[in-house]
Amino acid sequence: ALTACEKEIPIDYHEVDALYVAEACMTQEKTTVRLSTTQPVTDNSRNEHFVTGATVVLSSDGWVLDTLKYTSQGFYTSDFYGIYPFTYQIDIDVDGHHFTSTSTMQQAPQVNSFRFVWKNVVGERFLFGDLKLQDITGENNCYFMHIYRNGVGYRWAVMTDEHSPGQELQQLFQCCTQRDMNKNEDDALRDGDRIEVEVRCIDRLSYDYLYSMQVMDNAGTNPIQNWTGGCLGYFSAYHVETFSQVFHLTDIEEEN
């Protein structure tokens, strides 16, 4: 007779000091900073660690523009908005720590079209979101694109105009397969889903950070630093365009 025994193996997690995380965005409408801290590996709660009591200052070319006001849930806001092509700086002082990041405001992206299309890939039908942009001529541009489904992030990507400056750019988002939809998988789009597409024209520093996030699982590295002083996260000044639609199966185009 075979018997099995179970033995609890204690794992010695080495606790480290929590790190600050700042997600800062300046658009053509306002400036927002969300400040939090990382969660210890032994903390099983779902509570987010928001930070209050920080001093968050927005400046440009050495001129202080505003001190952001705390609202709630780690958010600090200002009515100051970005103007192309000025460079802006955010300084955060909290509990004896000082963090700084800069970003340059970009022009408005131009969306030419967005559609859902079926494509046959190795004998299987895949649903793609097909986004086309008209690149801004006369400068090097970077873009961030995010698809939301029913208010929740669904797919995102970044790209540059390095290989097609001044031309129409295309970004394909792989959504799901026909088989996923037939099985009603959680990640499959459903008839009636609310789709919102957000397109940002971003500076190179923001692109480098977001691209490093996009590839970090395959590269086995952390995102590159976007703040001085050891703060995680990023600051991006960008012009954003959004549009929405309702997803209908009958609207999907077929592409051979």
Side-chain angles (χ1 to χ4, degrees), residues 28-232:
Q28 71 272 26
E29 297 178 349
K30 61 182 179 179
T31 302
T32 302
V33 177
R34 194 181 205 189
L35 190 60
S36 61
T37 59
T38 55
Q39 181 171 305
V41 69
T42 53
D43 184 352
N44 295 321
S45 70
R46 294 180 177 266
N47 298 326
E48 296 191 58
H49 297 248
F50 302 125
V51 176
T52 63
T55 300
V56 183
V57 176
L58 173 67
S59 62
S60 180
D61 198 25
W63 294 89
V64 173
L65 301 177
D66 197 14
T67 297
L68 280 65
K69 298 176 177 60
Y70 183 79
T71 55
S72 63
Q73 295 187 311
F75 282 103
Y76 298 76
T77 62
S78 170
D79 290 333
F80 269 87
Y81 53 87
I83 299 175
Y84 171 82
F86 290 99
T87 297
Y88 298 90
Q89 178 171 309
I90 288 181
D91 290 270
I92 300 175
D93 287 285
V94 56
D95 292 334
H97 300 278
H98 182 83
F99 310 119
T100 300
S101 186
T102 62
S103 187
T104 302
M105 185 64 180
Q106 305 297 297
Q107 299 188 65
Q110 180 180 327
V111 179
N112 286 350
S113 64
F114 178 77
R115 62 174 183 158
F116 286 103
V117 58
W118 288 115
K119 290 178 178 286
N120 289 314
V121 181
V122 196
E124 184 156 24
R125 279 162 58 86
F126 281 82
L127 178 66
F128 286 88
D130 182 4
L131 176 66
K132 292 181 179 178
L133 310 175
Q134 182 60 47
D135 186 44
I136 303 168
T137 60
E139 57 186 64
N140 299 322
N141 300 293
C142 304
Y143 301 94
F144 170 83
M145 302 137 292
H146 201 160
I147 297 178
Y148 294 87
R149 179 181 66 167
N150 300 323
V152 179
Y154 182 64
R155 298 288 187 270
W156 67 273
V158 290
M159 69 176 174
T160 72
D161 64 354
E162 180 180 357
H163 300 294
S164 303
Q167 301 180 35
E168 185 176 69
L169 307 177
Q170 182 183 38
Q171 176 64 50
L172 290 174
F173 298 89
Q174 182 177 311
C175 298
C176 56
T177 66
Q178 176 76 71
R179 182 172 45 177
D180 294 332
M181 298 180 76
N182 293 340
K183 291 182 177 179
N184 203 27
E185 297 285 354
D186 290 340
D187 204 39
L189 292 178
R190 296 175 175 83
D191 204 65
D193 279 346
R194 292 179 294 105
I195 302 297
E196 183 176 26
V197 181
E198 178 181 291
V199 181
R200 308 175 187 174
C201 190
I202 59 178
D203 67 1
R204 186 71 195 202
L205 289 176
S206 302
Y207 170 83
D208 289 342
Y209 173 83
L210 291 167
Y211 179 77
S212 70
M213 283 193 62
Q214 190 178 53
V215 302
M216 69 179 185
D217 287 341
N218 294 328
T221 60
N222 292 323
I224 63 174
Q225 292 291 317
N226 191 261
W227 293 85
T228 65
C231 183
L232 304 179

